Amino acid sequence: MGRIKVNDEVQEVSLPMTLAELMTVNKVLQPDMLSIQLNGEFVEKESYAATTVKEGDEVDFLYFMGGGL
Amino acid sequence: MDFTAEQVERYSRHILLQDVGVEGQERINKGKVLVIGAGGLGSPVLLYLAAAGVGTIGIIDGDEVDLSNLQRQVIHSTPTIGMPKVLSAKETMNRLNPDVCVVTYHELFTVGNAFDIIKEYDFVIDGTDSFPVKFLINDACVMAKKPFSHGGILRFDGQTLTYLPGTACYRCVFHGPPPSNAVPTCSQAGVLGAIAGMLGTIQAAEALKFLTGTGELLTNRLLTFNAKTMNFRTVKLKHNANCPVCGEHPAIAELVEAEQAVCELKKKS
Ligand SMILES: [Zn+2]
């Protein structure tokens, strides 16, 4: 197990873990509606399955929000 | 600019502010802001900009006021149902503050008119509900080096960022519109009406901060909030070297026509 931060909140997860797995753990229903920053750097969608998260990493899940009208 | 006694009184609460003062209020009165969309976000933005005395306020929107809009689009009212939103909004703004010159464009924001319209303004506010138009606004503003405020709301959530030339743009965060079948808009997913006010007033504050040169804008940051928990979070953003429009090797060299999403609920009515 290890500690990481997802959207500023501490999560205990079994490491190593890929970003794709982290999305599943966080029940992201629509991966298409998401953009991910790992330690302040954007990760390309194609790399989610190949990018692993380490102890102390900070992950931001940023969601598309389309409303306005 | 010499203020009349009436203007000094009208803007006294701004003039009293140390960071604004007479000089800042003059900048507001000379300012030109374009608001794209006179809906949920556009309503509070337009009301506060008009109240603040922004000299020229442009509104572009191709829609008419609909009964289902009135749960959150507070610049319109029951008697203006059926009227073009730009005219309904203009009426309310003229009543609120006759100092303000309101310019209306009863049309959609498109590749064809984007540059011609934004070049008339100092600051642009995105108050649309369509992803393709949000990207069009971003691309046009990045290419024309025009400061703008992005805003989005959905259900109980809102997010906003401010762009100045050189800072992270909307495409730095989201490379392109999500597939249209994955996209819930307000009309499909619903939205708590007051969220539009919460986010729109933040966007209006950013425009006024920009005009007066006050404080720190929401640049290189994405503000997101959830009204169920009332948690507000500012995510630091870095300019993205792989950004398709402002990155090192931009793939987007000219504007691409936005497919205007047709709302499911609207089709029925
Ligand atoms: Zn960018």
Side-chain angles (χ1 to χ4, degrees):
Chain A
M1 297 297 276
R3 278 167 176 249
I4 58 166
K5 269 190 183 176
V6 177
N7 290 359
D8 283 344
E9 290 188 3
V10 175
Q11 285 190 3
E12 298 235 350
V13 289
S14 56
L15 296 176
M17 179 178 267
T18 67
L19 285 178
E21 288 163 345
L22 187 64
M23 285 167 75
T24 313
V25 170
N26 279 274
K27 301 194 175 63
V28 173
L29 297 175
Q30 291 184 297
D32 283 337
M33 299 299 285
L34 198 68
S35 178
I36 300 182
Q37 276 198 136
L38 175 59
N39 299 323
E41 303 280 348
F42 285 103
V43 181
E44 301 295 316
K45 276 190 174 23
E46 300 72 40
S47 313
Y48 289 171
T51 306
T52 50
V53 183
K54 310 181 306 294
E55 175 80 27
D57 276 354
E58 298 190 4
V59 181
D60 288 306
F61 285 158
L62 307 176
Y63 290 88
F64 265 120
M65 268 171 229
L69 277 188
Chain B
M1 189 185 283
D2 284 322
F3 286 123
T4 63
E6 204 183 297
Q7 284 175 317
V8 170
E9 191 175 347
R10 179 185 285 272
Y11 304 120
S12 58
R13 298 307 189 274
H14 271 163
I15 293 169
L16 283 169
L17 277 175
Q18 223 168 36
D19 291 325
V20 179
V22 172
E23 214 177 287
Q25 186 58 45
E26 278 176 357
R27 290 203 199 117
I28 294 173
N29 288 68
K30 284 181 195 152
K32 297 178 176 184
V33 178
L34 175 70
V35 179
I36 303 175
L41 296 176
S43 290
V45 169
L46 290 165
L47 286 169
Y48 276 100
L49 295 185
V54 172
T56 305
I57 304 174
I59 322 172
I60 175 163
D61 195 309
D63 272 352
E64 282 76 42
V65 179
D66 184 88
L67 181 58
S68 67
N69 300 152
L70 299 182
Q71 163 257 18
R72 64 202 176 285
Q73 301 185 13
V74 293
I75 202 166
H76 311 300
S77 52
T78 310
T80 66
I81 289 171
M83 195 189 279
K85 284 185 179 175
V86 290
L87 297 182
S88 164
K90 183 180 180 170
E91 254 186 36
T92 310
M93 292 157 74
N94 284 341
R95 271 202 305 273
L96 177 58
N97 188 352
D99 277 357
V100 172
C101 168
V102 181
V103 181
T104 59
Y105 309 86
H106 185 214
E107 56 192 298
L108 299 172
F109 187 74
T110 64
V111 169
N113 61 21
F115 288 130
D116 276 348
I117 295 178
I118 64 174
K119 75 170 189 314
E120 303 294 328
Y121 297 89
D122 307 317
F123 193 86
V124 174
I125 290 183
D126 164 16
T128 65
D129 70 345
S130 133
F131 281 115
V133 181
K134 286 186 185 301
F135 282 95
L136 176 60
I137 294 169
N138 181 75
D139 297 350
C141 288
V142 169
M143 289 177 194
K145 299 189 164 47
K146 188 68 69 179
F148 80 99
S149 162
H150 154 79
I153 48 174
L154 195 67
R155 300 189 183 98
F156 291 87
D157 296 284
Q159 71 180 18
T160 176
L161 66 80
T162 300
Y163 169 83
L164 294 182
T167 68
C169 81
Y170 185 53
R171 267 196 211 270
C172 286
V173 186
F174 302 106
H175 281 359
S180 56
N181 59 358
V183 177
T185 63
C186 282
S187 60
Q188 292 148 357
V191 63
L192 187 71
I195 302 289
M198 290 171 67
L199 196 78
T201 50
I202 293 173
Q203 291 185 284
E206 287 289 284
L208 295 173
K209 280 163 61 185
F210 172 79
L211 292 177
T212 55
T214 305
E216 288 164 40
L217 294 166
L218 264 176
T219 47
N220 291 323
R221 291 183 290 160
L222 179 74
L223 172 70
T224 71
F225 67 81
N226 175 279
K228 281 189 182 171
T229 58
M230 281 300 170
N231 279 337
F232 281 65
R233 204 164 82 84
T234 338
V235 185
K236 275 193 198 144
L237 303 175
K238 252 192 243 167
H239 173 257
N240 188 340
N242 297 321
C243 175
V245 69
C246 77
E248 281 159 15
H249 307 285
I252 302 167
E254 55 185 46
L255 297 181
V256 255
E257 193 62 68
E259 230 177 87
Q260 302 279 343
V262 180
C263 302
E264 289 301 318
L265 278 175
K266 249 185 216 161
K267 269 193 233 156
K268 281 183 226 152
S269 62

